[in-house]
Amino acid sequence: KIADYNPDGDTDIIDRAYIYSARVHEGQVRLSGEPYLSHPLEVAAILAEMRMDMESIAAALLHDVIEDTPATREDIESMFGPGVARIVSGVTKLSAIPFGSKTAQQAESLRKMILAMADDIRVVLIKLADRIHNMRTLKYHRNPDKQAAIAQETLDIYAPIAARLGIFWMKYELEDIAFYYTQREEYERIVALVNKAKDEKEAYIREVNEKLNAKMQEMGLECEIKGRYKQHYSIYQKMVSQNLEFNEIYDRSEERRVGKECRSR
């Protein structure tokens, strides 16, 4: 993945971080039964998809070593330099913040605290990637109350931070997975409604796409038009906040969204 966007990048630090992480996490396993190393590897892969720099990806491979192994910040600094050590230490400090169930005001204070504590934005990006992978594997928590608590924390703290940073794919994924674990019946109801209307909406998107493309070509503008379904959690939020039926919120949002996704290049 790194070679795709940075073919000349020096990946030696990443090779060494991977080997070191494998050594210090040896014997540790995830709830899924996989070696613990699978987690930092997935977090690093997410950052590679985001085209992050070498220090960030190395730090992602090492992000849990201070918290979960005998490794110290001094060890990390001596082997990987002060930049990586600072990022890993920052992630460790964020992991120590007690969350739990919070009011909206408390959640906002925690979000501000996280952003203020991270003197390097890469710390927050690793923490978000860490949460993405943890949410993707939340099914391995067998305790429904624990699943719901982690999911609610994600809705209260992490999804809004992703939105604030403009990383909307993270926001949407975090919200949809958290929605499933906090309000499963509502989630499944929205999914069923979306699937029922899917064929009709796909035809609608194609029709609008063709009309907009024709208009752009007529005006001599090269553009890319994308249409997509609203996220399940976003649909649910608008239905509740605006007291709308599914068909009302879905039809309105889809038309606006197709227009917003047209970008002139």
Side-chain angles (χ1 to χ4, degrees):
K1 289 182 178 181
I2 294 167
D4 287 342
Y5 68 90
N6 189 5
D8 299 323
D10 181 5
T11 57
D12 175 67
I13 191 173
I14 295 170
D15 294 336
R16 291 187 292 109
Y18 175 78
I19 293 168
Y20 183 79
S21 184
R23 181 165 64 83
V24 296
H25 284 300
E26 186 176 5
Q28 298 177 352
V29 295
R30 300 270 290 169
L31 289 175
S32 63
E34 295 176 300
Y36 193 86
L37 181 64
S38 64
H39 172 64
L41 185 58
E42 290 289 348
V43 173
I46 290 169
L47 292 187
E49 289 169 1
M50 297 171 69
R51 297 173 171 255
M52 295 296 293
D53 61 284
M54 303 298 102
E55 275 193 341
S56 299
I57 297 171
L61 286 165
L62 301 165
H63 77 273
D64 278 335
V65 301
I66 296 177
E67 182 180 5
D68 294 337
T69 80
T72 66
R73 173 173 177 156
E74 290 71 26
D75 294 334
I76 302 303
E77 184 165 349
S78 68
M79 286 182 279
F80 303 101
V84 171
R86 184 176 63 253
I87 297 170
V88 174
S89 179
V91 175
T92 304
K93 289 177 182 177
L94 291 189
S95 299
I97 298 175
F99 291 114
S101 180
K102 304 295 178 187
T103 64
Q105 185 175 359
Q106 288 172 319
E108 173 62 15
S109 296
L110 281 168
R111 292 194 292 268
K112 288 180 179 178
M113 183 190 303
I114 288 172
L115 292 171
M117 285 178 63
D119 57 357
D120 188 325
I121 195 62
R122 295 177 294 180
V123 171
V124 179
L125 296 179
I126 290 174
K127 194 63 183 171
L128 287 172
D130 170 75
R131 180 53 58 118
I132 283 279
H133 185 243
N134 283 333
M135 291 300 290
R136 289 173 179 174
T137 56
L138 191 56
K139 62 184 178 182
Y140 295 110
H141 275 278
R142 299 304 181 188
N143 186 332
D145 291 337
K146 181 68 172 177
Q147 289 175 329
I150 294 171
Q152 190 61 53
E153 179 182 286
T154 298
L155 286 175
D156 292 342
I157 306 296
Y158 292 102
I161 288 176
R164 190 167 297 180
L165 295 177
I167 312 173
F168 288 103
W169 73 265
M170 274 191 172
K171 171 187 184 304
Y172 296 142
E173 182 171 349
L174 289 172
E175 285 180 340
D176 265 17
I177 299 174
F179 182 29
Y180 174 80
Y181 286 104
T182 53
Q183 299 186 71
R184 190 165 304 185
E185 288 185 4
E186 287 298 317
Y187 175 90
E188 291 175 347
R189 183 171 74 91
I190 297 296
V191 168
L193 289 169
V194 168
N195 288 339
K196 185 177 179 181
K198 190 172 183 179
D199 290 342
E200 176 188 344
K201 295 305 170 187
E202 286 181 347
Y204 171 77
I205 292 172
R206 283 195 300 270
E207 180 184 354
V208 174
N209 190 324
E210 289 170 3
K211 289 181 178 179
L212 288 174
N213 260 317
K215 194 65 177 176
M216 289 296 173
Q217 289 177 12
E218 179 185 324
M219 297 173 69
L221 295 173
E222 183 183 353
C223 78
E224 178 182 3
I225 301 169
K226 294 181 179 179
R228 60 180 170 81
Y229 290 99
K230 283 183 66 62
Q231 300 294 313
H232 300 129
Y233 185 67
S234 178
I235 294 171
Y236 172 75
Q237 277 190 311
K238 288 198 172 183
M239 287 174 66
V240 171
S241 64
Q242 299 179 23
N243 194 29
L244 295 173
E245 294 298 323
F246 173 79
N247 287 337
E248 295 176 296
I249 188 68
Y250 202 68
D251 289 344
R252 292 179 186 178
S253 300
E254 197 67 49
E255 187 170 359
R256 288 200 302 269
R257 186 166 296 280
V258 172
K260 286 180 181 178
E261 291 292 339
C262 177
R263 302 194 307 275
S264 176
R265 298 183 297 179

